[in-house]
Amino acid sequence: MEGNVVEKDQLQDVNGQAFSDEGLVETKLEGKTVYPGSFFSIEKDTVRLPDGSTAFREFMRHPGAAAMIPLFEDGTVLLERQFRYPVNKVFWELPAGKIDAGESSFETAKRELAEETGYEADEWYFVTTIHNAIGYSDEHIDLYLAKNLKKGRAHLDSEEFIEVVKMPIQKLVNMIRDGQITDVKTIVGIFWLEKIITGQWNVEKMA
């Protein structure tokens, strides 16, 4: 069975009104959990394709996460260095964590910032939502800007080992350019921060 590619002129309507999801949407017919993990689950669904045929879709079901851009008054950003086992490498990352059951992503952001770094923030801004693995997971990450930071004490889990570092924004941009920072939430967060501090993009202050 061959797929179907439909080419459209992206300029036919600058407001996107000419684009329709019809002809693209897949409909779930049935599904099962093939791995019920404690952190995420693996699902296998049977779906009806736009042309009426069927196919299987295997994906990770994830509760979502929150990531924070902790910005100090001197323009430096608080980052973490952490070993990530699946790729056997230490990564530079913005602080982040999984959303717990019954918790909002904003509550997660405040909790994870304090637990992982020891810092708390008096000012919070919602930045954006990103979908970081759309080919194999429903995971989303809500990104927040945290300002007016106050140092406290971190409370890491027994299995967590994290190094916390302050870095200038331009240094982080250079590290992204040079391939030293490859974590997607961190790349998106730093690029957003560039736009925010220059006044090009606005963000919503949390109550």
Side-chain angles (χ1 to χ4, degrees):
M1 181 183 63
E2 295 185 357
N4 183 31
V5 176
V6 178
E7 184 173 344
K8 291 188 176 181
D9 182 357
Q10 65 176 352
L11 300 178
Q12 59 185 309
D13 191 326
V14 293
N15 296 317
Q17 297 300 316
F19 291 94
S20 170
D21 294 342
E22 186 178 355
L24 298 174
V25 174
E26 300 173 359
T27 304
K28 178 180 176 179
L29 300 176
E30 59 181 5
K32 62 179 180 179
T33 300
V34 296
Y35 172 72
S38 58
F39 184 70
F40 56 81
S41 64
I42 303 297
E43 310 291 323
K44 184 173 184 178
D45 290 357
T46 304
V47 301
R48 179 184 293 115
L49 302 178
D51 64 359
S53 60
T54 60
F56 294 111
R57 295 289 184 251
E58 295 176 342
F59 65 98
M60 178 192 300
R61 180 81 67 189
H62 191 283
M68 297 71 72
I69 312 170
L71 179 64
F72 292 93
E73 292 182 1
D74 64 0
T76 57
V77 180
L78 191 68
L79 254 71
E80 299 177 348
R81 283 173 24 90
Q82 186 173 186
F83 181 78
R84 294 300 190 177
Y85 183 82
V87 285
N88 193 36
K89 180 181 176 181
V90 173
F91 280 80
W92 294 85
E93 301 179 51
L94 291 172
K98 176 178 70 71
I99 300 172
D100 287 345
E103 189 176 52
S104 70
S105 67
F106 184 36
E107 292 169 335
T108 299
K110 293 187 288 185
R111 173 179 57 77
E112 289 286 349
L113 180 64
E115 288 179 358
E116 291 191 354
T117 72
Y119 281 89
E120 296 184 354
D122 285 341
E123 288 185 48
W124 286 91
Y125 300 81
F126 176 74
V127 177
T128 192
T129 297
I130 62 175
H131 293 86
N132 51 303
I134 57 175
Y136 61 86
S137 177
D138 67 348
E139 181 181 3
H140 74 279
I141 302 176
D142 289 337
L143 190 61
Y144 295 89
L145 172 64
K147 298 176 67 176
N148 196 6
L149 301 169
K150 293 180 174 59
K151 177 65 174 172
R153 183 179 178 183
H155 300 280
L156 296 174
D157 293 337
S158 61
E159 298 179 352
E160 285 185 306
F161 297 86
I162 293 173
E163 181 179 282
V164 178
V165 184
K166 291 182 181 179
M167 299 286 285
I169 296 171
Q170 189 55 52
K171 173 64 174 176
L172 296 177
V173 172
N174 293 342
M175 291 173 71
I176 292 170
R177 180 199 60 200
D178 296 339
Q180 296 174 270
I181 294 177
T182 59
D183 173 60
V184 65
K185 67 180 180 293
T186 304
I187 292 173
V188 173
I190 297 305
F191 283 167
W192 258 92
L193 183 58
E194 267 199 309
K195 298 289 188 181
I196 293 168
I197 62 176
T198 57
Q200 297 178 69
W201 291 355
N202 296 320
V203 287
E204 176 186 352
K205 188 173 183 179
M206 306 296 294

